[in-house]
């Protein structure tokens, strides 16, 4: 098969994996080498949320011995198969990098023969790039559950980031749709990676090579099973705590040809994926717990309202919050106040009383935050009196517009 055709097949097959981000890597440029993830140049073009904008994202092979029913590359699928050799992946990476098409490599694979055999092929690519070609750019390798600790150790020395996909949020879901995989085997690989990262971080010896300096991540498929958002966030929260994950990625299920009858015929709303990311952010940086955001009585996130605002409206007794006296933890729960804004408010109030105009200068969305706040010049506290329909008036259900479809109200200047 021609290399171009292989690339078309294996790049397309990799599109379902969302967990490719190069934020957090600090690998220095190698002497007389090429590529770097710090300094100046095209390698350092990041999106506002920290993602590297261009990675060569491919599978080593879409041949797989597993028959995960949600996966288009499963054993029983009739998709066209292709495989790269490690040398071909190395050549593609270097050629694309030299043309400034990419800043790094995201390399995953179907499970070929066994998890260890597959990982050996991935490691061969990373080893060749690092040692033979002195490539200092970003490398992200995907590991399959069941890989030996020895191979994970070698992979982490060459890769900036490693990831093991949990894929489905509960053992019940895995048993139904991916019986070859189990939650204990997935978490065992995560635990091994986390242990090596901690050992390297705590070892002051400069001779010890860095192990996966950008950390490790995972991905969960949303909507392939009836599992609620509450269970999804509970699993994510546990993985963050137990294994020190840098990030959990959520990927809306995409219907596949000749699918198992247990799989849904349609994708879940993309708004659900977005709300899960927002809730995940609240858990990681705002001090919320999964149990606070959702309950057995209300197990799914509201698609028309962000989870922080939904929590605030459900806990009106918590408000109003005085910006001049409230602790950081309370300020972070106010809709419209982010982590950086709260930090600036805390610094400002050490010198003078904070007024509503000060919040406006900090670019706080005052109309959104004011009902939940008390400042030195205004006592709002209106959160107790707001009904859901009245806050805010301009929130509309999410809708996907066409390329040439004018947004309603655009001609009249409505924002």
């Amino acid at each position: 098969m021609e290399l171009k055709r292989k690339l078309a097949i294996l790049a397309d097959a990799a599109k379902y994996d969302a967990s490719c981000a190069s934020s957090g890597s600090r690998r220095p440029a190698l002497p007389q080498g090429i590529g770097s993830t710090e300094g100046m140049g095209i390698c350092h073009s990041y999106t506002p949320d920290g993602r590297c904008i261009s990675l060569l994202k491919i599978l080593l092979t879409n041949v797989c011995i597993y028959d995960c029913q949600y996966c288009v590359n499963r054993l029983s699928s009739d998709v066209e198969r292709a495989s790269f050799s490690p040398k071909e992946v190395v050549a593609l990476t270097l050629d694309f990098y030299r043309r400034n098409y990419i800043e790094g490599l995201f390399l995953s694979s179907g499970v070929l023969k066994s998890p260890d055999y597959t990982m050996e092929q991935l490691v061969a690519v990373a080893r060749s790039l690092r040692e033979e070609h002195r490539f200092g750019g970003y490398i992200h390798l995907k590991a399959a559950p069941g890989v030996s600790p020895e191979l994970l150790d070698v992979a982490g020395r060459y890769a900036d980031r490693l990831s093991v996909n949990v894929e489905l949020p509960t053992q019940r879901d895995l048993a139904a749709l991916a019986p070859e995989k189990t939650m204990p085997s997935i978490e065992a690989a995560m635990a091994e990676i986390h242990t090596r990262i901690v050992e390297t971080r705590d070892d002051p010896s400069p001779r010890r090579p860095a192990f996966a300096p950008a950390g490790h991540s995972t991905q969960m498929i949303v909507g392939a099973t009836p599992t609620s958002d509450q269970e999804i966030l509970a699993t994510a929260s546990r993985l963050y705590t137990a294994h020190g994950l840098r990030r959990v990625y959520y990927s809306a299920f995409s219907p596949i040809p000749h699918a198992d009858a247990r799989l849904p015929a349609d994708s879940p709303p993309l708004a659900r994926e977005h709300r899960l990311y927002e809730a995940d952010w609240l858990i990681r940086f705002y001090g919320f717990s999964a149990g606070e955001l959702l309950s057995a009585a209300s197990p799914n996130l509201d698609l028309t309202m962000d989870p922080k605002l939904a929590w605030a409206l459900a806990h009106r007794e918590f408000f109003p919050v005085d910006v001049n006296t409230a602790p950081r933890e309370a300020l972070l729960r106010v809709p419209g106040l982010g982590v950086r804004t709260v930090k600036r408010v805390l610094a400002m109030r050490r010198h003078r009383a904070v007024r509503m105009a000060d919040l406006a200068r900090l670019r706080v969305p005052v109309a959104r935050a004011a009902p939940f706040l008390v400042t030195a010049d205004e006592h709002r506290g209106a959160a107790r009196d707001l009904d859901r329909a009245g806050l805010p008036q301009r929130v509309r259900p999410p809708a996907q517009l066409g390329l040439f479809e004018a947004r309603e109200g655009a001609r009249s200047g409505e924002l």
Side-chain angles (χ1 to χ4, degrees), residues 143-150 152-153 162-166 182-201 208 211-212 215-218 238-246:
V147 171
S148 68
E150 293 78 16
L152 285 176
D153 182 51
L162 296 174
S163 56
V164 182
N165 280 357
V166 67
T182 65
M183 195 65 74
S185 67
I186 293 169
E187 293 199 45
M190 292 180 178
E192 182 65 31
I193 294 171
H194 180 51
T195 299
R196 302 297 175 102
I197 291 173
V198 172
E199 288 175 351
T200 303
R201 184 185 62 205
R208 181 162 187 166
F211 183 93
H216 66 130
S217 58
T218 193
R238 178 173 56 80
L239 294 178
Y240 280 128
T241 302
H243 305 302
L245 290 177
R246 180 65 61 89

Side-chain angles (χ1 to χ4, degrees), residues 77-92:
S77 177
D78 60 356
V79 296
E80 185 178 4
R81 306 290 180 171
S83 298
F84 283 126
S85 69
K87 288 185 178 180
E88 287 175 323
V89 176
V90 170
L92 280 171

Side-chain angles (χ1 to χ4, degrees), residues 54-363:
S54 55
L55 299 173
L56 175 58
K57 181 181 176 184
I58 56 175
L59 299 185
L60 183 73
T61 179
N62 64 348
V63 176
C64 192
I65 62 173
Y66 293 160
D67 202 29
C68 305
Q69 294 305 305
Y70 50 82
C71 181
V72 70
N73 299 314
R74 66 191 184 279
L75 177 64
S76 59
S77 177
D78 60 356
V79 296
E80 185 178 4
R81 306 290 180 171
S83 298
F84 283 126
S85 69
K87 288 185 178 180
E88 287 175 323
V89 176
V90 170
L92 280 171
T93 303
L94 295 175
D95 287 347
F96 279 28
Y97 184 86
R98 290 188 178 106
R99 289 169 172 79
N100 280 343
Y101 294 164
I102 62 168
E103 291 99 1
L105 172 67
F106 175 90
L107 184 60
S108 184
S109 181
V111 179
L112 188 65
K113 295 185 180 180
S114 71
D116 275 0
Y117 178 83
T118 306
M119 198 70 214
E120 287 172 357
Q121 305 304 302
L122 301 184
V123 168
V125 172
R127 179 187 287 113
S128 177
L129 285 169
R130 296 295 192 209
E131 294 185 352
E132 297 176 21
H133 300 281
R134 311 299 292 169
F135 181 74
Y138 178 81
I139 298 178
H140 181 158
L141 297 182
K142 182 74 65 174
V147 171
S148 68
E150 293 78 16
L151 277 172
L152 285 176
D153 182 51
V154 176
R157 295 179 186 179
Y158 294 118
D160 294 278
R161 176 170 287 188
L162 296 174
S163 56
V164 182
N165 280 357
V166 67
E167 295 181 343
L168 297 177
T170 68
Q171 176 57 44
R172 176 186 68 251
D173 294 335
L174 287 171
L177 298 178
E180 296 95 343
K181 299 177 182 178
T182 65
M183 195 65 74
S185 67
I186 293 169
E187 293 199 45
M190 292 180 178
E192 182 65 31
I193 294 171
H194 180 51
T195 299
R196 302 297 175 102
I197 291 173
V198 172
E199 288 175 351
T200 303
R201 184 185 62 205
D202 295 341
D203 187 347
S205 172
R207 295 183 178 180
R208 181 162 187 166
F211 183 93
H216 66 130
S217 58
T218 193
Q219 173 177 304
M220 273 193 280
I221 299 171
V222 177
T225 64
T227 304
S228 67
D229 294 341
Q230 182 187 27
E231 289 182 279
I232 291 172
L233 289 175
T235 297
S237 184
R238 178 173 56 80
L239 294 178
Y240 280 128
T241 302
H243 305 302
L245 290 177
R246 180 65 61 89
R247 185 126 180 230
V248 174
Y249 291 84
Y250 305 94
S251 177
F253 170 71
S254 297
I256 55 178
H258 313 297
D260 188 286
R262 293 169 293 179
L263 292 171
D266 299 314
S267 297
L270 287 178
R272 184 184 180 192
E273 181 183 307
H274 179 64
R275 295 302 180 206
L276 283 168
Y277 275 116
E278 290 179 325
D280 182 276
W281 204 260
L282 293 179
I283 293 170
R284 294 163 61 201
F285 301 112
Y286 286 77
F288 285 83
S289 67
E292 288 180 285
L293 297 173
L294 294 167
S295 65
S298 181
N300 292 306
L301 295 166
D302 190 331
L303 299 185
T304 65
M305 184 179 299
D306 74 79
K308 190 177 184 183
L309 179 57
W311 182 89
L313 291 177
H315 297 82
R316 302 181 194 199
E317 72 283 355
F318 185 83
F319 302 98
V321 171
D322 191 329
V323 294
N324 288 292
T325 60
R328 177 179 182 273
E329 293 74 19
L331 291 174
L332 285 173
R333 292 180 176 245
V334 176
L337 296 188
V339 174
R340 285 183 292 182
T341 300
V342 168
K343 182 179 180 180
R344 292 168 182 167
V345 167
L346 293 175
M348 181 184 295
R349 77 185 193 185
R350 287 199 292 266
H351 305 285
R352 61 185 177 85
V354 179
R355 300 175 180 273
M356 195 63 70
D358 296 321
L359 296 180
R361 280 192 289 272
L362 292 175
R363 298 186 178 181

